[in-house]
Amino acid sequence: MDGITLRVLDGCDRGRSYRNLKTPITVGREEGNTIQLNDERVSRFHVKIQEDNGHLVLTDLESTNGTKVNGEDVQLRILRYGDLITIGRSVLLFGSREQIAERLFRLRNQDAASGAATQHPGEADASPLDFELNCGDELEVGPSLHLLEPPPLPDRLSPAQAAQLSELLEYFHIRLRAVLASGRSHSQDELEDPVSLELPRWQSLIELQSRLAEYLRQIGEPEA
C-alpha cells in the first residue's frame, strides 16, 4: 500500500504537508506523534491511522474534543482518499493529489453500466491527475497549465508586498473555509435544503483551499 499523505488545510499548521508516511501513525499535540500539531484543542494523542485487511482505519484515541471525518463525528472510520479529517481547529486532507485524482477517475468510470471506461473528449492523452482535478466547466476544453502546475509566488517581495499578498490569499482562504464547512452529508437534516455538488467539483474546491494554504505558509516561512 502507498505511503500516507496528509495535508493541513486549516489551523496553526496550515499549509504543511506530510508525505509517504508509513503506518501506523498517530496525530496529536505532544512530541512522539508522527504528526505533531500546534493546536491546543487537539489531544496529546488524538487519532491513530493503521492498516488492516487492505484498508486504512482511523481511530479516535478517546480525544477530549472528538474527531470528524467529512463533517461527521466518528470513533472508527475507514479512510478514503479525499476525506477531510477535523481534529480540534485543524483540518487535514487525506491523500496526495495523485491518489485523489485516481479515486475520482475510478468512481466516474464505475458509472458505466457495461463496465467499460467512460472517456470524455480530449481525455485520451490526459493523465487522471490532469483531467480529474480540472475544475473547468467545459469537459471538451483541456485543462490550463496553471491548473495543473500552480504559478509560483512572486520573487523578492518587500515585507509590505508580502503582507498585502498574504492578506489577499487569507481572504479567499476564509471564504472557501466557510463554503466547505457548509457541506453536509445525506444523513443530516434534509430540511436544511443543502446544496449538492458532484464529487469532482467538491474535490476541486478542497484542492483550491489546499493550494491557498500552501501559498500562505510559503509567504510566512519563505525559507521552509
Side-chain angles (χ1 to χ4, degrees), residues 101-102 104-105 108 123 127-134 200 204:
E102 290 284 354
L104 293 176
F105 181 78
R108 183 164 53 81
E123 182 187 356
S127 71
L129 176 63
D130 294 344
F131 185 81
E132 299 298 340
L133 294 182
N134 172 27
S204 291

Side-chain angles (χ1 to χ4, degrees), residues 16-35:
R16 293 194 185 280
S17 295
Y18 303 89
R19 303 179 185 278
N20 296 319
L21 303 176
K22 301 301 181 185
T23 57
I25 71 170
T26 59
V27 182
R29 195 179 68 248
E30 289 283 306
E31 292 184 8
N33 285 283
T34 313
I35 297 177

Side-chain angles (χ1 to χ4, degrees), residues 90-140:
S90 301
V91 180
L92 291 78
L93 174 60
F94 175 66
S96 67
R97 291 182 173 93
E98 292 80 5
Q99 289 168 335
I100 293 170
E102 290 284 354
R103 182 190 174 210
L104 293 176
F105 181 78
R106 288 195 303 270
L107 289 174
R108 183 164 53 81
N109 285 297
Q110 284 174 4
D111 291 337
S114 64
T118 302
Q119 208 167 60
H120 292 282
E123 182 187 356
D125 297 326
S127 71
L129 176 63
D130 294 344
F131 185 81
E132 299 298 340
L133 294 182
N134 172 27
C135 56
D137 290 333
E138 299 298 330
L139 291 175
E140 63 269 19

Side-chain angles (χ1 to χ4, degrees), residues 37-83:
L37 295 175
N38 299 307
D39 186 336
E40 73 278 5
R41 298 197 63 182
V42 169
S43 293
R44 295 172 59 249
F45 291 88
H46 200 109
V47 296
K48 180 178 183 179
I49 300 174
Q50 59 190 335
E51 185 178 352
D52 183 54
N53 197 28
H55 298 289
L56 288 171
V57 182
L58 177 145
T59 304
D60 181 271
L61 300 175
E62 299 183 356
S63 64
T64 301
N65 294 307
T67 300
K68 293 183 178 182
V69 174
N70 300 330
E72 294 289 339
D73 292 314
V74 299
Q75 177 63 39
L76 197 65
R77 175 70 175 257
I78 292 177
L79 291 176
R80 295 169 177 83
Y81 298 131
D83 282 347

